Amino acid sequence: MSVSLRVRLFAGHVLVVAAALTLMTVLAVRQQFGWVVGRTDEALERAARHMATELPPQDDWEAAAARMGATLGYRVTFIDRTGRVLGDTEVPPGRLSEVENHAARPEVSQALAGRTGRALRHSRTTGVDLVYVAVPAPPGRGVAVVRLSEPLVMIRALDNALLRISLAAAALALLLSVPLVLWVAGREAARIRELEAVARRLGSGDPTARAREQPADELGQLGRAVNRMAGESRSRLEALGRERDERERILAHLRDGVALVDGAGRVIRMNRSCADLLGVALPAEAGVPFAEFVRSAELDALLKSARGEDRAREADVRLWTPGQWLLHAMAAPLPGAGEGAVLLVLHDLTEAERLNQVRQDFVANVSHELRTPLTSLRGYAETLLEGGLEDPENRERFVRVIRDQAVRLEAIAEDLLTLAGLERPEARLDLQRFDLREAAARQVAALRPRAAAAGLDLALEPGPELRVNADRRLVEQLLANLLDNAVKFTERGRVRVRIGESATRVWCEVEDTGCGIPEADQPRVFERFYRVDKARSRERGGTGLGLSIVKHIATLHGGEVSLRSRATEGSTFRVEIPREPAGGAGPNARSHRAAG
Ligand code: ADP
């Protein structure tokens, strides 16, 4: 179990305080001891000097030493010039002769030399540690050196008493410092814990966590550094978040499907288009196995082949979804996203393939449409060249046929050019405000002779003026095509043109009592070159492009064309366009393609 920071701080502080107090005490004790010894020295010297100057000549130095020693409370020693001890407080009477010569004692030799002698040593005479002070005595007194000494044990006793006081003071100081140290340690530990909590909150993603910066000591500075770091990492995180959102938006709006698959074949990310292209309602959640999400052996094989490779693999993949989509799939290894991770990009080729097919069909249809009149032209021309010119009966008929075929070729070319013009991406409507009823009346009037010749009753139902903002030339062509068809495919009866309006739209209906269109053919009559009865259409100069042009014109105006018809009973074509073109003029490329 780790020791808490508070305990460690406390123990550290206590150790420091204890060490400081111990050092102080040791120094104080040494100082005290030196001071006590110094004071004793001084007292001994003063007493010795006083004694030496005041000393009367004596006969019995032993008795004098005993007496003075008793008075002063010191050991008194009288020594002569040779170092012989004349009297000593501690030497019992009669034993003086056993005391060895003191001339060699350091304090005595110094005093014999005329100086104050000092020493601190073990006395061989008394067997205890003593402090000695010896001073020279004035001459003529019978004694040369007066020495006073005091047992060190006395000094030590004093010193020990002082030591005890010092130790008691140190212990008291230590005791008093404990709560203070405890408080300081607790406070510091609490501040560090607070910083740790802030760091933990920041680490767990709480950007609002802030450390205290006061007081401005090291911990305060650390708090400020943590706050600065938090601020910087917050703005960095925000920038990263913005980048990620941008990436997400780009990915979400990408028309290509993008999926990131890990080394184990599980989806890491997938955009909406990817799910759409794979025919699945929602993008796969992270962790879902890709092979389960979309059951395509080809895609699976492509992903596997790209895994661990250093270059992208590509393939065209047909998915057997309801739309039978054709996709261009590219699988590129993406080691940065994890071991064996692969980025899969799907591009929809279905529309491109369809357009390609449409183009091919169109070329085939045009070639087919041109071949018949061209073959006919060549046949009649050759017949004329091979003697037909000499045949007055038939040559005029041959030339008429040649002219009719040329007219048909011209009509096909004209309709093709019209269609090409309508399909140009940059095609723009030449908008102008005009009366739709008046435009329809003109077309009806233009066709009336032909209708009358065929015994048809062609009429525009009366009504008020109906103003529209549209491309007049194209709308007139649309009406002409519908009227032309109505007259063309009606044997007898009538053709009626009706015009009307709703809140935002105008409409025009062309109703006939002709041959009608079987239900199965109705959805296809707006396709290029589609005819219900080919022979009849050709015979009447039809190109198979008229209704396709009608649908294009309606779509370009933001409107639509519909058909109600029953075989043998007649047909009604209805065109609806907005009164005002939405968002100004101009078609978009999509409306062109949508048309048949
Ligand atoms: P066409 O040049 O042959 O008229 P369209 O594109 O105008 O070509 O029409 C396509 C086909 O739709 C026609 O061939 C015809 O079979 C049918 N159709 C068009 N209008 C009518 C109509 N009013 N009555 C019957 N059939 C029609």
Side-chain angles (χ1 to χ4, degrees), residues 485-486 488-489 512 515-517 525 530-533 537 542-548 571 573:
N485 277 352
K488 213 157 54 180
F489 296 105
D512 64 56
C515 63
I517 303 169
V525 290
Y530 190 84
R531 299 172 175 105
V532 179
D533 181 346
S537 164
T543 60
L545 295 170
L547 285 182
S548 187
S571 316
F573 284 87

Side-chain angles (χ1 to χ4, degrees), residues 75 105 120-132:
R75 176 185 168 194
R105 301 280 200 278
L120 194 157
R121 99 182 107 74
H122 188 76
S123 164
R124 258 177 277 157
T125 314
T126 59
V128 293
D129 288 343
L130 289 167
V131 177
Y132 295 98

